[in-house]
DNA sequence: AGCGAACTAGACCGATCGGTCAAGAAGCTT
DNA sequence: AAGCTTCTTGACCGATCGGTCTAGTTCGCT
C-alpha cells in the first residue's frame, strides 16, 4: 500500500503498528482480528485499510522493520572493531540485548519462522544475519583461531542459543540481560571450538 | 473426551490423528479447519466430535504424545550408560534423530511453544527433558569435567541448537541426520566448556 | 474562501469457522 | 432376533472473520 502520508498520517500509521505489535505478541497473529486492532486504537475500520491493504501486509511490514532494526543495532555495535572474534562476541551480545529490549518483536519473528505464510518473509533477513556471522567465523578459521567446521552451521547455532536463552531467562524470568548475554557468548565461544589458547591472536 | 473404543474405533481415531498431524504441520494449526481434517479422512464431521471434544483437545493430545515418545527414545538410547558425558552425547544424538524422523511433530512442538494457548501444555514436557540433561551436567561438574555454570541454561542451549540445526539441515536441506547429530554434539560439547583434556575421566 | 487530497466512520457483505444435533447404521452380546 | 452400545452422517447454527464501500470530515495549499 503506497500512500502519500502527512505528518498526521504517519503518526496514525505508527499508532496502528505499535498496537498491532503488542496485540500480536500477546494474543497471537491469528487470534488478533483487525477489529481488535482498530478498536484498541479507537478508530474505524476504514482507517486500517487506508494504511494497509491487508492484515498480512501489516504483519510483513512489522517483520521487515524488525529485522532491519536488529541488524542495524548489530552493525553499530561492531563498527570499528577489527578482530573477527571480538566482532562475533559483540554481535552475540547485541543480538541478546536487542531481543531483550524488543521482546514482542522477538516473539513475532519466532512465530513467523514457523508459519509457512511468513517463513519466506523472515528467511531472507535471517540469512543476512547468518551471513554476517559466517564472514567473521571464516576469518577466524583462516587465522587458525577457530577449528575449521561449517561456518553457517555455527552461525545458526549461535543465533538459536541467543534466542532460546533470551526467551527463558529474560522474557520469562526477568534476569539481567547483560548476564544472559555473557552466558550466551561463553557458550558460543566454546561451541565454536575456541579453547582458551585460541582466544589470543597468534 | 473419554470413550470406550472398539478396535475399529481406535483405528479411526489414529487415522484422524495421523491426518491432523500432517495437515497442521503443512498448513498450520489455525489455517487447518476441522472440516479439512474430516474431509481429508473422508468421514463426516460427527466422527471428529465423537473422538475429540474440540480441535484444541486433539492438538494437545498430539503434543503430549509426541513429547512422551521423544523422551522414551532418549531414555532408551542412554540406558545402561554410566558416564554422564556419554549420556549427554547420546541424549543429543537421540534428540536430533527423533527430530529428523518426526519432522511434522518437531514443527508442531515449535509452533506450540510460541502460542500462548499451548505454551503451558508444552512447557512441562520440555522441562522434563531439560531436567534430564541438567542432572548429567551437574554430575559432570561434580566430577570436575565440566566447568561450573548454570546447568539449566546449558541444557536449554543444547536443546535449542539441536532444534535449529535439525530444522535447517535436515528439514530444509535433507542432509544426513547422523552428520547433523555429530555437528550438534560437537558444538554442545564445546559450549559446555569441555576442552579436550576434560573428555577423559580423571 | 474554495478546492482537491488525505483521512475517517461504521454499516455491510459473503465466507468460513468450531461446534451441535437428530436420525440412523453397524457391531456385539445374549 | 432383539436390544444395547458404538459409531457415522451431514444439515444446521450463531459467531466472527477479513475486507469493501459510501458518505462525510479534516487538512494543506492557493
Amino acid at each position: 500500500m503506497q500512500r502519500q502520508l502527512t505528518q498526521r498520517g504517519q503518526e496514525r500509521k505508527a499508532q496502528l503498528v505499535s498496537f498491532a505489535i503488542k496485540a500480536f505478541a500477546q494474543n497471537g497473529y491469528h487470534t488478533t482480528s483487525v477489529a481488535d486492532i482498530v478498536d484498541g486504537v479507537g478508530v474505524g475500520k476504514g482507517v486500517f485499510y487506508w494504511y494497509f491493504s491487508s492484515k498480512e501486509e501489516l504483519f510483513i511490514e512489522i517483520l521487515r522493520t524488525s529485522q532491519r532494526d536488529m541488524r542495524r543495532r548489530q552493525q553499530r555495535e561492531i563498527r570499528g572493531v577489527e578482530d573477527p572474534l571480538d566482532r562475533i562476541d559483540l554481535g552475540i551480545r547485541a543480538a541478546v540485548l536487542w531481543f531483550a529490549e524488543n521482546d514482542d518483536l522477538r516473539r513475532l519473528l519466532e512465530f513467523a519462522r514457523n508459519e509457512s505464510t511468513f517463513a519466506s518473509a523472515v528467511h531472507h533477513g535471517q540469512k543476512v544475519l547468518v551471513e554476517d556471522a559466517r564472514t567473521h567465523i571464516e576469518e577466524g578459521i583462516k587465522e587458525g583461531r577457530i577449528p575449521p567446521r561449517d561456518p553457517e552451521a555455527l552461525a545458526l547455532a549461535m543465533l538459536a542459543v541467543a534466542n532460546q536463552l533470551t526467551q527463558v531467562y529474560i522474557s520469562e524470568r526477568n534476569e539481567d540481560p547483560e548476564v544472559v548475554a555473557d552466558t550466551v557468548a561463553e557458550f558460543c565461544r566454546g561451541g565454536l571450538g575456541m579453547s582458551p589458547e585460541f582466544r589470543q591472536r597468534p
Side-chain angles (χ1 to χ4, degrees), chain A:
Chain A
M1 179 75 46
Q2 194 62 355
R3 279 260 157 74
Q4 201 60 253
L5 299 184
T6 64
Q7 173 74 19
R8 175 160 150 258
Q10 288 174 31
E11 283 165 12
R12 183 66 93 200
K13 186 175 174 181
Q15 221 179 342
L16 287 165
V17 167
S18 164
F19 188 89
I21 288 171
K22 275 182 280 181
F24 287 153
Q26 192 156 88
N27 307 112
Y29 171 78
H30 291 290
T31 39
T32 301
S33 65
V34 175
D36 288 337
I37 296 171
V38 294
D39 286 355
V41 176
V43 295
K45 214 173 192 180
V47 172
F48 185 94
Y49 288 96
W50 176 259
Y51 295 102
F52 308 99
S53 61
S54 71
K55 183 183 162 187
E56 195 174 312
E57 191 200 77
L58 159 64
F59 192 61
I60 289 179
E61 181 171 320
I62 291 172
L63 296 174
R64 292 250 147 85
T65 313
S66 303
Q67 291 184 310
R68 208 180 314 134
D69 186 61
M70 179 174 172
R71 182 166 191 235
R72 199 152 38 197
R73 164 76 172 260
Q74 218 171 32
Q75 300 278 33
R76 176 166 27 101
E77 296 287 339
I78 64 177
R79 181 170 302 150
V81 176
E82 293 294 334
D83 187 80
L85 270 51
D86 287 344
R87 286 169 84 96
I88 292 171
D89 214 84
L90 291 169
I92 292 170
R93 299 185 58 85
V96 172
L97 296 178
W98 187 89
F99 283 148
E101 288 164 24
N102 301 275
D103 190 51
D104 288 343
L105 300 179
R106 201 209 85 245
R107 290 170 115 96
L108 299 187
L109 287 167
E110 199 57 22
F111 159 81
R113 268 198 340 126
N114 298 296
E115 193 82 355
S116 57
T117 323
F118 301 114
S120 62
V122 172
H123 205 262
H124 174 260
Q126 187 181 97
K127 203 169 158 184
V128 171
L129 241 53
V130 170
E131 287 292 315
D132 287 344
R134 204 171 71 121
T135 309
H136 307 140
I137 294 172
E138 280 170 349
E139 273 189 59
I141 292 174
K142 200 172 292 169
E143 295 181 8
R145 301 160 72 201
I146 294 176
R149 273 179 290 155
D150 179 357
E152 192 202 22
L154 299 171
L156 281 163
M158 295 197 301
L159 193 57
V161 172
N163 213 319
Q164 170 84 303
L165 293 193
T166 304
Q167 177 177 342
V168 173
Y169 288 100
I170 300 178
S171 173
E172 293 173 9
R173 304 194 195 162
N174 275 313
E175 297 196 4
D176 181 6
E178 296 283 347
V179 173
V180 175
D182 286 341
T183 305
V184 173
E186 183 155 6
F187 189 92
C188 290
R189 271 196 300 270
L192 290 180
M194 294 157 56
S195 307
E197 70 269 18
F198 278 113
R199 291 187 195 161
Q200 308 301 327
R201 272 200 139 129

